[in-house]
Amino acid sequence: PRIARIPYVVFGCDLVVALGSGMTVKYFPLFFKEDLNMRPAAVQAIYLAVPVAMAIASTLATKLGRKVGRVQAVLALRVFGLTCFAGMVVLYDRGIARAGPLKYAIVALYVVRTASMNCTYPLEESILMDYVPKDTRARWKSLQSVAMFGWCGSAYLGGALADEYGYTKTFLFTIGLQSTGVLIYAQLLGIVGREASGLAGGGGDATAGAAAGVVRR
């Protein structure tokens, strides 16, 4: 049955997105410091704003999931986040916002992009909890460690690419992989119902993670 595909789709998406995210997440502070010439204190201020934005976005994402459907909300937020990410690359590569006050447009896009990409964990977790049998949930949850290993391992590749081509070119690789993840996740359209039965229950741990500001994407 099609429902049996759900955990495989979720895991495949998580793995691809983790590989893309690991290439760049660790290097954003260096991008802000070296390419945008921001002071260390200003860079840290960004990472004070990110958890707040993520907590707000997580609440809004849950409300959106109740209104339009969980899969639809996840896909919309990821596409929005990737659009912001692409906007960062365009503003920098075209020299529009490399210096002066305009560079903070890149910062704003980064905060919004990070909040959008990371706020969907409660929705994703609720889908997994609703459609995966209780006796296999632990197995699928443990596979998340595989995705996290890929996240860490791809950081080496991201560093090599950044040294060779620059940070924004590496960002494009991440955008490509994360876009592939969106296409994989889109397979859940028509399989996962638009009901919101799991939003109040199964996603508790994911909500806590999002609210705590854990940046994985």
Side-chain angles (χ1 to χ4, degrees):
R2 293 198 303 165
I3 288 179
R5 293 165 45 193
I6 290 176
Y8 296 95
V9 171
V10 172
F11 173 71
C13 175
D14 284 347
L15 183 60
V16 171
V17 170
L19 290 172
S21 301
M23 293 172 65
T24 54
V25 166
K26 295 176 182 288
Y27 300 107
F28 279 121
L30 292 174
F31 168 70
F32 294 131
K33 183 178 182 295
E34 297 176 2
D35 287 8
L36 296 187
N37 297 310
M38 296 181 67
R39 295 176 177 273
V43 174
Q44 290 305 309
I46 296 172
Y47 287 92
L48 287 175
V50 164
V52 176
M54 285 172 57
I56 295 171
S58 181
T59 300
L60 295 176
T62 302
K63 291 181 179 179
L64 181 63
R66 291 194 179 104
K67 182 168 291 188
V68 304
R70 288 175 286 178
V71 173
Q72 291 83 347
V74 169
L75 292 174
L77 287 163
R78 288 193 179 182
V79 169
F80 179 64
L82 288 170
T83 302
C84 293
F85 204 174
M88 291 173 57
V89 174
V90 170
L91 287 177
Y92 184 83
D93 280 354
R94 299 202 173 181
I96 299 172
R98 291 191 181 187
L102 283 177
K103 68 184 178 184
Y104 291 103
I106 294 178
V107 173
L109 285 173
Y110 168 74
V111 173
V112 174
R113 168 253 168 221
T114 302
S116 298
M117 293 297 292
N118 288 276
C119 72
T120 58
Y121 283 109
L123 298 176
E124 296 166 45
E125 189 78 0
S126 70
I127 291 171
L128 204 58
M129 293 301 100
D130 277 359
Y131 289 93
V132 175
K134 290 183 179 180
D135 58 340
T136 61
R137 287 178 184 175
R139 181 197 314 163
W140 289 107
K141 288 286 289 182
S142 66
L143 283 175
Q144 290 181 354
S145 62
V146 176
M148 287 304 299
F149 177 78
W151 187 89
C152 295
S154 64
Y156 174 80
L157 178 59
L161 290 171
D163 286 340
E164 184 70 23
Y165 302 108
Y167 292 115
T168 54
K169 296 298 185 295
T170 308
F171 294 167
L172 291 176
F173 283 99
T174 295
I175 291 171
L177 285 170
Q178 291 182 338
S179 297
T180 302
V182 169
L183 295 177
I184 294 172
Y185 206 82
Q187 295 180 61
L188 297 183
L189 289 169
I191 300 178
V192 175
R194 291 181 59 178
E195 78 285 350
S197 62
L199 293 183
D205 293 340
T207 306
V214 180
V215 178
R216 297 172 184 158
R217 297 170 180 164

